[in-house]
Amino acid sequence: MRHSNYEEWLNNSSQSASSKMNWWVDPMRRKKFDHRIIESRLGELRSIRKDARADKLLFYFDEGLHGNMANMGSAEVYESGSSSARKLISEYVNELADGLEQIYQFHDKELKLADKKAFFDRASRAHGRSALMLSGAGALAPFHLGVCIALRTQNLLPKVISGSSAGAIIAGIMCSRSDEELDEVLESESLLEIFDLVHREYSERENQLDGEDIRSIVETWIPDVTFEEAFQRTGRYLCVSVSPSEMHQQSRTLNSITTPNVLLRETIQASCAVPGLINPVKLAARGLDGSREPYVRSRSWVDGSVTDDLPASRLRRIFGCNFFITSQTNPLILWSLHEQKIEGPLKDMATFWQGASKEWVKAVYPYAQSMVQNIYPMNMLTRMWFSVFTQDYTADVNILPNQRFVNPMAMLEKIKPEHAMELVLDGEEHTWPHIERIKNSTTVGFKLEEILNRLEATTLPGRAKEKQPSNKADLRSISSGDIANG
């Protein structure tokens, strides 16, 4: 049954959940989450907020602002069918957000501005950020777009979004367009028109995407801007994974912090360059005079999902992220993933064999690589498959399509506009069951970020970031280099 929006889905799921076992009397579920700790902390916070003393509130939050206290962020709590536990968690995180707002509202006599800013800086670092990671996807890329639409509709789209391979295209769309532009582009009729436009411009040679098709897709969807310019337009951090096409080089995750002057289009094309099927791509950057110049002139790059499909470790280091949402559609590994709600011996057995297989590949790789290190392309293929088999492909929240078995040979298939729209709708519907958990896990982080932005605007008004004005032109105009150079 297809639902038209999240509210309709929620109403239907609430009715079906009423017949499920009560979470509170299920001992296997109950031990996953200690409601007594949350009840105690919630009562304490309400009492302190009632006293309205800055020192007591600061002391309370300094005791720990933990996103998974008493295991309240675990998937089992949200898949049990109990509304009591979820309601308690929602009340607690909302009270935390209200408490932080109360601290922000204290007058200088009660809490000096410098002390206030120091507290929120410290609290934000301790609590961490959320991030959305879009995997390699091939022809399933529109599923990612549906996930982004569902999160954005509920005001839950993270500020940090990574993408690899086809996921980089969707991440690029979300992080290079202002909110006003996204409102126009992501409307259903507009999406179908764009899918139709892209499909008409495909080359007629075969049913598989080639390098020219990828270039056409990227130029249609992605403005000709740098990572820094994209951030200035949107306030969102785009991170794109690319893999080296040569031996003995490291993969990269490009973003506005580490590579601000690198241009998006070439980077995303490189991330989509499937080894053996699409030629490697050289990156480009904007020079000091505004011209297009080669970036790391001697190197070319290929599909980012080969070495870093989900760059969680780099997002932790650069952006302080510690809560990860992934839309996972990578055709090479999708078949091996299981739903988080699967518990018991079956899950334990699958986890054991996956871990054992990964360790076996790590042990065999040095020997296998030594046998082919001077034989091209066997050396490159060996390294590629080692990376594919040893990566982590899951996160805290995993949004997966129903279709788990995808023919790898069809991952570059040219799909019709109607099928693309179906994938978008599937992405939305598969995100809705995770909305409540994501909201409870990110409410405090969003509140901290909001308050820090207000404090920065107050203390440094001249340096407050101003987004570039919205461009209401058609898609081709939005995508043109005139915006970047204007």
Side-chain angles (χ1 to χ4, degrees), residues 360-373 382 386:
W360 180 84
V361 171
K362 289 180 180 178
V364 170
Y365 173 70
Y367 174 76
Q369 186 62 41
S370 67
M371 298 290 291
V372 297
Q373 61 181 346
T382 302
F386 169 76

Side-chain angles (χ1 to χ4, degrees), residues 14 16 47 58 66 109 118 120 123 155 159 162 183 189 209 223 232 247 386 404 412 449 451:
S14 298
S16 61
S47 176
L58 292 178
H66 200 296
K109 292 181 180 180
F120 282 110
N155 296 315
K159 296 295 185 182
S162 74
D183 287 339
E189 291 185 5
L209 295 172
Q232 293 297 328
M247 291 292 295
F386 169 76
R404 299 299 176 80
L412 292 179
E449 191 166 6
I451 291 175

Side-chain angles (χ1 to χ4, degrees), residues 210-373:
D210 57 22
E212 271 304 299
D213 294 323
I214 298 295
R215 184 187 62 78
S216 177
I217 292 172
V218 171
E219 289 184 356
T220 298
W221 286 99
I222 308 299
D224 192 17
V225 296
T226 66
F227 281 90
E228 173 62 22
E229 290 164 352
F231 173 72
Q232 293 297 328
R233 288 165 61 88
T234 68
R236 289 180 282 272
Y237 293 98
L238 171 64
C239 306
V240 177
S241 298
V242 295
S243 304
S245 62
E246 307 91 358
M247 291 292 295
H248 311 302
Q249 301 294 340
Q250 298 298 314
S251 64
R252 293 194 179 188
T253 300
L254 295 92
N255 54 77
S256 61
I257 303 296
T258 60
T259 53
N261 64 324
V262 174
L263 290 156
L264 266 56
R265 285 182 173 176
E266 285 83 353
T267 304
I268 294 173
Q269 288 178 51
S271 191
C272 294
V274 179
L277 299 177
I278 297 176
N279 292 331
V281 176
K282 291 186 179 295
L283 304 187
R286 197 176 305 290
L288 296 177
D289 60 354
S291 62
R292 197 181 221 88
E293 298 182 2
Y295 181 79
V296 191
R297 188 185 302 269
S298 61
R299 294 182 188 171
S300 299
W301 306 85
V302 295
D303 194 331
S305 66
V306 169
T307 54
D308 217 357
D309 197 31
L310 306 178
S313 60
R314 286 172 173 165
L315 302 188
R316 285 192 188 96
R317 175 171 56 85
I318 299 171
F319 299 103
C321 299
N322 62 1
F323 181 77
F324 296 95
I325 308 160
T326 181
S327 176
Q328 180 54 267
T329 59
N330 191 321
L332 295 178
I333 54 85
L334 195 56
W335 60 272
S336 68
L337 302 180
H338 52 76
E339 294 281 3
Q340 291 171 297
K341 62 184 177 184
I342 298 176
E343 293 294 323
L346 185 62
K347 177 181 177 181
D348 294 340
M349 184 178 297
T351 301
F352 169 78
W353 283 112
Q354 286 177 3
S357 300
K358 186 180 293 187
E359 293 304 316
W360 180 84
V361 171
K362 289 180 180 178
V364 170
Y365 173 70
Y367 174 76
Q369 186 62 41
S370 67
M371 298 290 291
V372 297
Q373 61 181 346

